[in-house]
Amino acid sequence: EVQLVESGGGLVQAGGSLRLSCAVSGFTFDDYDIGWFRQAPGKEREKVSCINPTDGITYYMHLAEGRFTISSDNTKNTVYLQMNNLKPEDTAVYYCGAVYTTTSRCLWRGYWGQGTQVTVSS
């Protein structure tokens, strides 16, 4: 059974940091890359950042460049999203999903976790 389990969300003040985790089971990083997405109330889900844990290739949307860092611990089948200098507009439910990624694009290929809430207060 495929499972992606997000954790690490919470309430933080503007300018603060959080590290999200996505624990993967049921497939390996040889099968899929992993991406982080977010969905704010009333808005569509949007990509944030993606990683190929096997090759180390990463992809960032503009909203994440310079503030967020995606990484993986392949021994733990876990992908992380370190988020620094958070802004109120980063408030959303953050999801991880299976993707295919290169340095120039990231395509969702299926599977979602349950999401973790990130709330940034001003």
Side-chain angles (χ1 to χ4, degrees), residues 1 5-6 16 19 28 44 48 50 54 60 68-69 74 77 79 84 86 89 91 93 95 104 110 115 117-119 122:
E1 179 187 6
V5 180
E6 303 94 335
R19 189 178 81 154
T28 72
E44 292 188 355
V48 176
C50 303
T54 302
Y60 292 93
F68 296 177
T69 303
N74 294 8
N77 287 340
V79 171
N84 298 328
L86 283 161
E89 51 264 42
T91 295
V93 179
Y95 300 88
S104 59
Q117 176 71 47
V118 171
T119 303
S122 58

Side-chain angles (χ1 to χ4, degrees), residues 27-77:
F27 64 82
T28 72
F29 291 153
D30 288 335
D31 299 319
Y32 296 103
D33 307 330
I34 300 296
W36 283 101
F37 300 73
R38 71 185 187 184
Q39 188 166 18
K43 295 188 177 181
E44 292 188 355
R45 192 169 299 188
E46 61 178 351
K47 272 178 292 193
V48 176
S49 180
C50 303
I51 186 168
N52 177 325
T54 302
D55 296 338
I57 293 171
T58 58
Y59 170 89
Y60 292 93
M61 293 293 287
H62 180 67
L63 64 92
E65 288 178 336
R67 298 191 298 130
F68 296 177
T69 303
I70 193 168
S71 63
S72 68
D73 183 336
N74 294 8
T75 65
K76 297 181 179 179
N77 287 340

